[in-house]
Amino acid sequence: MIDSNQLLERAVEMKASDIFITVGVPPTFKIDGKLVPLDHPVLNPEDTEEFAKSLFKREEHYKEFLENGDKDFSVSLKGVGRYRVVVYNQRGSFAVAIRVLSFIQDEPEDLRIPQSVLNFHKRTKGLVLITGPTGSGKSTTLSKIIDLINGNRSCHIITLEDPIEYLHKHNKSIVDQREIGLDTKSYSQALRSAMRQAPDVILIGEMRDHETIAAALTAAETGHLVFSTLHTLGAAKTIDRIVDIFPANQQQQVRVQLSTVLQGVVSQQLIPSEKLGRVPAFEIMLANPAIRNLIREGKVPQIDAAIQTGRSDGMTSMDLSLAQLCNEGYISRDDAIQYSFNLDVLSRYLKEE
């Protein structure tokens, strides 16, 4: 039997980002993007079932898992950390994937978050999107921006999350955190309700569907500062995804709406690094008049060029970010190429070998 608390503690000590419990392999940590099996016997179906059941603290969560075949929720270990848990069935047995959210928060400079990203905390209205694949650090970046608002402004912040990842204490701001499935039924319902709770800042854990995206745009349009995430890479693809989720007869209206409320799109990837374990690369698009025109006119492919010319405003392309990390010796040339958006652009910035 695996002691779940001991395993969760050990993951924090070893600076693991994820824990995997599945039949046929030992408990496995993900450290700096690599799978590290623990010195433990291979797990059988009884082991994984017992471990999964020990994580369910609420009867209703277990019932939902039995009904649906998967369930995600968060757990806390006092003084150690918080964990985002997904329990699911695979090949007739229980499996668990756990994201580790340590209580010990690094400073933004240690996380290498650019100042132009952190500066979004100074905005008072509009929509800011943090995008990237699962496990690329989107939640961490957002938590740092919320921290800065909380420490510098007197306002009401509402976060809608599934599940709650980082806990925010009231500081200069009041921070109310609502968990989807526990405190409210869905993102769209929580967002409608949030509009009646006098918020200044709204964080939406993820814009998953048409209804949530429409509500987020309306919230940003009516003078709120809205943060959210999407599983897209690059500003152009992010804008296309938002527009494409609406019916064709509404898409021009959405382009106009988006061109008005969008403040910026940040895309991030975590790249393997021999020096630092993993290091983030960022594309940063700030919505200036030129980019707003491109969005409104549906000329989204031209946004990449506008980002290139906006470097003096704090914008940067993913390929420039990757090239700088490579030129400074943080990442390998092969990894820069693998994570590149445009190899021609990347090669222009890379130093000669």
Side-chain angles (χ1 to χ4, degrees):
M1 165 62 183
I2 323 159
D3 184 301
S4 58
N5 285 358
Q6 282 181 5
L7 193 73
L8 296 176
E9 277 187 47
R10 194 170 169 198
V12 171
E13 286 165 11
M14 292 178 68
K15 297 187 175 174
S17 62
D18 299 272
I19 306 165
F20 299 105
I21 303 292
T22 192
V23 171
V25 291
T28 301
F29 289 169
K30 193 179 213 180
I31 302 172
D32 294 333
K34 292 177 183 166
L35 296 179
V36 180
L38 299 187
D39 184 13
H40 186 284
V42 165
L43 299 172
N44 62 38
E46 292 75 26
D47 296 327
T48 61
E49 181 173 352
E50 209 171 334
F51 181 85
K53 284 180 176 176
S54 74
L55 295 172
F56 283 106
K57 309 299 181 193
R58 293 174 179 272
E59 186 63 33
E60 63 267 32
H61 284 171
Y62 186 56
K63 281 181 182 170
E64 280 182 53
F65 164 71
L66 292 177
E67 284 170 18
N68 303 322
D70 54 67
K71 176 61 186 170
D72 54 331
F73 54 95
S74 58
V75 297
S76 293
L77 210 54
K78 196 172 180 182
V80 180
R82 282 177 66 76
Y83 306 83
R84 189 172 72 205
V85 179
V86 185
V87 180
Y88 54 99
N89 286 320
Q90 69 89 32
R91 289 164 63 178
S93 62
F94 285 62
V96 187
I98 302 171
R99 172 64 46 83
V100 181
L101 309 162
S102 173
F103 279 152
I104 303 163
Q105 289 297 303
D106 293 320
E107 293 302 312
E109 53 271 23
D110 297 328
L111 295 165
R112 300 177 64 88
I113 301 171
Q115 192 58 47
S116 56
V117 174
L118 298 172
N119 283 345
F120 283 119
H121 85 274
K122 297 176 182 175
R123 306 289 173 115
T124 56
K125 61 183 179 182
L127 177 65
V128 177
L129 298 171
I130 311 291
T131 75
T134 301
S136 58
K138 300 185 294 295
S139 299
T140 305
T141 298
L142 277 176
S143 79
K144 291 301 160 198
I145 297 171
I146 295 295
D147 272 350
L148 285 167
I149 297 172
N150 191 16
N152 288 284
R153 292 220 311 264
S154 173
C155 60
H156 184 202
I157 302 167
I158 294 177
T159 78
L160 313 173
E161 302 171 74
D162 183 17
I164 291 169
E165 297 190 11
Y166 294 101
L167 297 175
H168 296 279
K169 294 178 181 174
H170 307 304
N171 192 348
K172 285 192 175 174
S173 295
I174 291 173
V175 189
D176 289 326
Q177 297 184 262
R178 305 191 72 199
E179 186 162 315
I180 309 302
L182 185 63
D183 301 313
T184 180
K185 277 187 180 175
S186 66
Y187 275 118
S188 52
Q189 181 179 315
L191 196 43
R192 283 196 302 273
S193 173
M195 299 296 284
R196 300 190 293 272
Q197 292 155 17
D200 300 291
V201 178
I202 303 170
L203 184 150
I204 306 163
E206 189 184 340
M207 296 208 301
R208 289 181 181 169
D209 53 38
H210 167 273
E211 203 178 352
T212 307
I213 291 173
L217 288 171
T218 303
E221 208 169 30
T222 50
H224 303 86
L225 178 59
V226 180
F227 293 95
S228 192
T229 71
L230 278 169
H231 290 283
T232 48
L233 262 179
K237 284 182 181 166
T238 300
I239 289 159
D240 279 341
R241 167 76 64 84
I242 291 170
V243 172
D244 288 347
I245 210 164
F246 288 86
N249 63 340
Q250 293 177 23
Q251 289 183 358
Q252 184 51 37
Q253 178 196 334
V254 171
R255 286 191 194 97
V256 172
Q257 207 175 5
L258 201 51
S259 72
T260 307
V261 302
L262 193 64
Q263 297 292 330
V265 179
V266 176
S267 286
Q268 55 187 86
Q269 301 184 90
L270 278 176
I271 318 295
S273 166
E274 280 195 16
K275 285 186 181 177
L276 299 171
R278 286 192 298 172
V279 64
F282 289 88
E283 179 188 273
I284 304 162
M285 185 210 83
L286 306 173
N288 61 18
I291 284 174
R292 292 187 192 283
N293 280 336
L294 292 175
I295 295 170
R296 190 163 39 245
E297 292 166 14
K299 297 177 179 175
V300 171
Q302 294 178 33
I303 284 175
D304 290 341
I307 291 171
Q308 307 273 1
T309 57
R311 284 172 65 181
S312 60
D313 298 328
M315 293 196 231
T316 189
S317 70
M318 180 61 73
D319 295 298
L320 174 58
S321 180
L322 290 165
Q324 286 172 337
L325 289 170
C326 182
N327 293 340
E328 291 164 14
Y330 287 108
I331 66 173
S332 70
R333 199 177 187 89
D334 285 348
D335 281 331
I337 290 166
Q338 182 183 333
Y339 288 90
S340 168
F341 284 6
N342 186 321
L343 283 175
D344 292 338
V345 175
L346 177 72
S347 57
R348 283 209 303 271
Y349 293 124
L350 282 175
K351 284 180 186 170
E352 294 294 324
E353 284 189 285

